[in-house]
Amino acid sequence: MSASPEMTSSLFYTTLAPLRSAVPGSVPGAGGGGLVMTPMEPNVTSCEEWEEAHHLLFHVGNLSLLLGLVIPTTLTLHMILLRLMLMTGSCLFITWATLYRCNLDVMVWNVVFLLVNFMHFFYLVYKRRPIKIDRELKSVYKRMFEPLHVREALFQRLTGQFCTIQSLKKGQVYAAEDKTSVDERLSILLKGKMKVSYRGHFLHNIYTNAFIDSPEFRSTQMNRGEKFQVTIMAEEYCKFLCWSRERLTYFLESDSFLNEVFRYLIGKDITNKLYSLNDPTLTDKAAKKMERQPSLCSQVSMMQMRNSMGSTSDTDDILNQIHRGGSSGSSHHLLPPRHPKR
């Protein structure tokens, strides 16, 4: 028995009737008091007519957002400018939604965006506030830390938590030979001049903006519990910045960048002391010039020593060789020939 064409097409194609809504009324054949099914309007998703363009404030607000997003990241203040433009756009949208659209949800969302961006903006500006460095520490920062790109905020953390500024009168001793422990502190001379000697024999001077006990600090990283093998005395009124060694070491371990900065500064300071020991008759002026330009050394042996100081392993080997004999490992201030080496 073959199916008619009309029956075949009805098997594959189904026409949906329009949806009807039930409203109280009469249903035909129900005797009057039933529900009446009325057709619903179809859901229109296409725009038949476009609305007119929005007010100028709407377009300026979007332009502010666009400008904020295209600010190049190479600019120093790009994050601050970005937050500023986002805040400007939010303010314009709030004004537009309030005065021209009377749209509460648009206004509320943009108020939220404005508050969030304002908090970010305030934090970024606060981070860039000028840091006031103590007057006595400005010279140290400018000479030693600023050329290595240490920010003022980081320098303030370094000098403001666990260090003190101490002073010595002329003739007072910073460290006594075979008596003072090298494990207690690390210091930078801020003002004045100190003399380093071994058993009464003059070795070299220490000038402003130089570490006082950098050789001991480096050499005793391997061997603790040692004593100074030299005497360090103030030749005039001196001020120095003093860190607790234990707390400084702990702080440097938590900041790898600052740890590398200290390794470099201490290595450079040791090299300058080697130059001073090579010619202990240098005047104050010549020694300070050497600190500013340590590459002026013309002797091959000292140049080789300086190059070797570049790596920690080479430096430690040099120090171990220096300490063989009279001063075995507790200090690495060199001495002239015929005297034990520091």
Side-chain angles (χ1 to χ4, degrees):
M1 175 176 147
S2 61
S4 63
E6 291 80 1
M7 184 180 296
T8 304
S9 62
S10 65
L11 293 176
F12 294 97
Y13 299 97
T14 301
T15 302
L16 295 178
L19 296 176
R20 299 175 182 272
S21 61
V23 297
S26 298
V27 177
L35 297 176
V36 177
M37 306 298 293
T38 59
M40 296 180 62
E41 293 294 332
N43 184 19
V44 180
T45 58
S46 60
C47 297
E48 296 181 358
E49 294 183 1
W50 292 88
E51 295 183 359
E52 295 182 0
H54 290 299
H55 191 271
L56 180 63
L57 285 177
F58 176 82
H59 300 288
V60 177
N62 281 286
L63 181 61
S64 298
L65 300 183
L66 178 62
L67 292 177
L69 294 175
V70 299
I71 294 175
T73 57
T74 54
L75 292 179
T76 305
L77 302 177
H78 75 278
M79 286 303 298
I80 294 180
L81 294 176
L82 171 61
R83 296 296 176 179
L84 186 61
M85 297 307 297
L86 293 179
M87 289 167 53
T88 303
S90 295
C91 290
L92 292 172
F93 281 130
I94 292 172
T95 305
W96 168 75
T98 304
L99 300 180
Y100 298 97
R101 299 295 295 183
C102 299
N103 198 319
L104 182 62
D105 53 351
V106 174
M107 183 194 71
V108 170
W109 275 111
N110 279 277
V111 169
V112 173
F113 296 151
L114 177 62
L115 293 177
V116 171
N117 284 291
F118 176 77
M119 288 188 292
H120 280 278
F121 176 79
F122 179 80
Y123 174 71
L124 292 172
V125 173
Y126 176 77
K127 283 179 61 178
R128 298 187 66 86
R129 72 192 188 282
I131 303 297
K132 186 177 180 180
I133 299 177
D134 191 281
R135 182 175 54 86
E136 296 178 316
L137 302 179
K138 282 185 179 179
S139 177
V140 171
Y141 175 72
K142 293 291 184 181
R143 275 288 294 276
M144 301 177 67
F145 291 91
E146 188 179 38
L148 301 179
H149 306 290
V150 177
R151 294 185 177 275
E152 293 92 337
L154 183 57
F155 181 75
Q156 189 179 52
R157 286 179 56 200
L158 175 66
T159 58
Q161 295 182 358
F162 43 84
C163 72
T164 57
I165 297 178
Q166 302 180 16
S167 61
L168 291 175
K169 297 180 180 180
K170 181 178 180 180
Q172 288 185 320
V173 174
Y174 173 84
E177 185 178 327
D178 294 327
K179 294 181 180 179
T180 307
S181 173
V182 300
D183 296 335
E184 297 178 356
R185 56 187 175 176
L186 176 69
S187 304
I188 297 178
L189 186 60
L190 302 177
K191 178 181 179 182
K193 182 175 70 173
M194 291 185 173
K195 179 180 68 174
V196 181
S197 61
Y198 176 79
R199 296 182 181 177
H201 297 282
F202 170 77
L203 301 182
H204 63 85
N205 289 318
I206 300 174
Y207 300 99
T208 305
N209 298 327
F211 284 96
I212 298 175
D213 44 6
S214 58
E216 287 76 18
F217 182 82
R218 175 63 67 86
S219 65
T220 55
Q221 286 179 334
M222 299 174 289
N223 302 311
R224 291 298 188 92
E226 301 290 341
K227 304 292 184 181
F228 276 87
Q229 296 296 307
V230 295
T231 297
I232 304 177
M233 179 182 297
E235 282 210 317
E236 54 190 58
Y237 178 76
C238 296
K239 278 190 175 182
F240 56 93
L241 181 67
C242 182
W243 284 280
S244 166
R245 176 168 180 162
E246 182 178 357
R247 298 183 66 182
L248 175 63
T249 302
Y250 179 78
F251 180 76
L252 294 180
E253 289 176 352
S254 65
D255 192 313
S256 58
F257 168 71
L258 202 56
N259 187 35
E260 292 301 319
V261 168
F262 260 78
R263 287 166 61 90
Y264 169 79
L265 290 175
I266 289 175
K268 180 182 177 181
D269 188 78
I270 294 172
T271 305
N272 290 338
K273 287 178 171 56
L274 292 174
Y275 286 123
S276 299
L277 287 168
N278 188 59
D279 187 2
T281 61
L282 289 175
T283 63
D284 293 3
K285 184 177 180 180
K288 291 179 181 179
K289 183 178 181 181
M290 185 174 294
E291 288 184 359
R292 292 192 297 269
Q293 300 177 349
S295 60
L296 294 177
C297 178
S298 59
Q299 298 194 16
V300 177
S301 60
M302 293 306 296
M303 286 297 295
Q304 292 174 345
M305 182 75 75
R306 180 189 181 191
N307 294 334
S308 299
M309 297 290 278
S311 64
T312 304
S313 58
D314 291 340
T315 302
D316 294 339
D317 292 337
I318 293 171
L319 296 178
N320 289 333
Q321 294 177 6
I322 291 174
H323 293 314
R324 290 175 187 172
S327 55
S328 66
S330 63
S331 173
H332 57 264
H333 287 283
L334 299 180
L335 282 165
R338 300 183 184 179
H339 295 294
K341 297 183 178 181
R342 183 181 186 233

